[in-house]
């Protein structure tokens, strides 16, 4: 996720200081990976330097004064372009799991064991996500659905690969 674009998008609602941006970001997007304060302020400095935000005043705080940042017209244009640009679909053609299966076959180890261990890990993660989804708000449910769909695709690949292990063994050990 582009942190800079996300912060710009949050600033479209109105000026905010870094602490507030971090809080809102973490609430909306950072459940599993919250931002570090340093990351917020480094990103804001870069956005300021690039003319995408401007300082919009200073507030007294419990400690140092807090600078408020506002999005510029160039920042709004940048967010608009980012939102209109599709994310590159990642086909995962150089998959680590595939490499493990092939290396297990080449070394005489059990590729079935590699697939079984991975299947168990996927199922555990899917159960955790399903539990989280059941207790989450709509945003959390959608995030969990996205992850679950990807894990389901991985499970289909694991099953297909298990069914073709004999063919793969022949192909890689020639």
């Amino acid at each position: 996720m582009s942190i800079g674009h996300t912060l710009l998008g949050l600033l479209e609602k109105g000026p905010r200081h870094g602490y507030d941006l971090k809080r809102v970001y973490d609430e909306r997007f950072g459940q599993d990976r919250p931002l570090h304060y340093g990351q917020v302020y480094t990103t804001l400095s870069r956005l300021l330097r690039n003319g995408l935000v401007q300082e919009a005043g200073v507030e007294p705080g419990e400690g140092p004064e807090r600078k408020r940042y506002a999005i510029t017209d160039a920042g709004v244009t940048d967010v608009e372009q980012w939102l209109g640009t599709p994310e590159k679909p990642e086909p995962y053609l150089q998959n680590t799991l595939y490499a493990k299966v092939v290396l297990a076959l080449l070394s005489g180890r059990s590729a079935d064991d590699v697939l079984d261990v991975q299947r168990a890990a996927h199922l555990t993660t899917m159960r955790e996500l399903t539990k989280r989804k059941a207790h989450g708000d709509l945003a959390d449910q959608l995030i969990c659905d996205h992850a679950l769909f990807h894990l389901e695709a991985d499970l289909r690949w694991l099953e297909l690969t298990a069914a073709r292990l004999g063919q793969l063994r022949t192909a890689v050990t020639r």
Side-chain angles (χ1 to χ4, degrees):
M1 180 184 310
S2 169
I3 294 168
H5 287 111
T6 305
L7 295 181
L8 284 172
L10 293 173
L11 285 170
E12 283 191 294
K13 289 282 191 184
R16 297 177 186 251
H17 50 80
Y19 175 82
D20 190 39
L21 283 168
K22 179 198 174 349
R23 183 185 55 76
V24 173
Y25 179 97
D26 289 351
E27 285 173 6
R28 298 269 184 215
F29 312 109
Q31 293 90 347
D32 295 325
R33 210 181 281 174
L35 287 178
H36 297 286
Y37 286 106
Q39 199 172 8
V40 172
Y41 292 107
T42 301
T43 303
L44 285 170
S45 293
R46 183 176 38 81
L47 295 172
L48 186 64
R49 184 180 62 245
N50 293 338
L52 302 175
V53 299
Q54 61 190 9
E55 287 185 20
V58 177
E59 294 177 359
E62 297 177 12
E65 294 180 330
R66 296 180 180 172
K67 289 181 189 174
R68 292 176 61 79
Y69 296 89
I71 192 168
T72 63
D73 290 341
V76 171
T77 300
D78 200 55
V79 170
E80 187 69 30
Q81 289 173 347
W82 178 65
L83 291 174
T85 303
E87 292 298 308
K88 182 179 186 269
E90 294 295 333
Y92 304 111
L93 293 177
Q94 292 297 321
N95 188 296
T96 303
L97 184 53
Y98 173 76
K100 286 182 174 186
V101 170
V102 169
L103 290 172
L105 291 171
L106 288 172
S107 68
R109 292 181 178 92
S110 173
D112 284 309
D113 288 350
V114 171
L115 294 170
D116 288 344
V117 166
Q118 191 63 50
R119 186 180 301 107
H122 269 61
L123 290 171
T124 297
T125 301
M126 290 175 80
R127 280 190 289 277
E128 291 167 358
L129 286 168
T130 301
K131 229 183 271 184
R132 176 177 164 180
K133 178 182 163 182
H135 301 291
D137 61 10
L138 179 59
D140 212 31
Q141 291 170 11
L142 289 169
I143 289 167
C144 289
D145 281 338
H146 185 264
L148 285 165
F149 291 146
H150 281 271
L151 291 169
E152 286 175 16
D154 288 349
L155 281 177
R156 286 196 315 267
W157 181 85
L158 290 166
E159 296 304 322
L160 178 67
T161 302
R164 293 181 174 173
L165 272 181
Q167 291 172 284
L168 185 57
R169 181 179 288 109
T170 302
V172 300
T173 57
R174 284 185 205 181

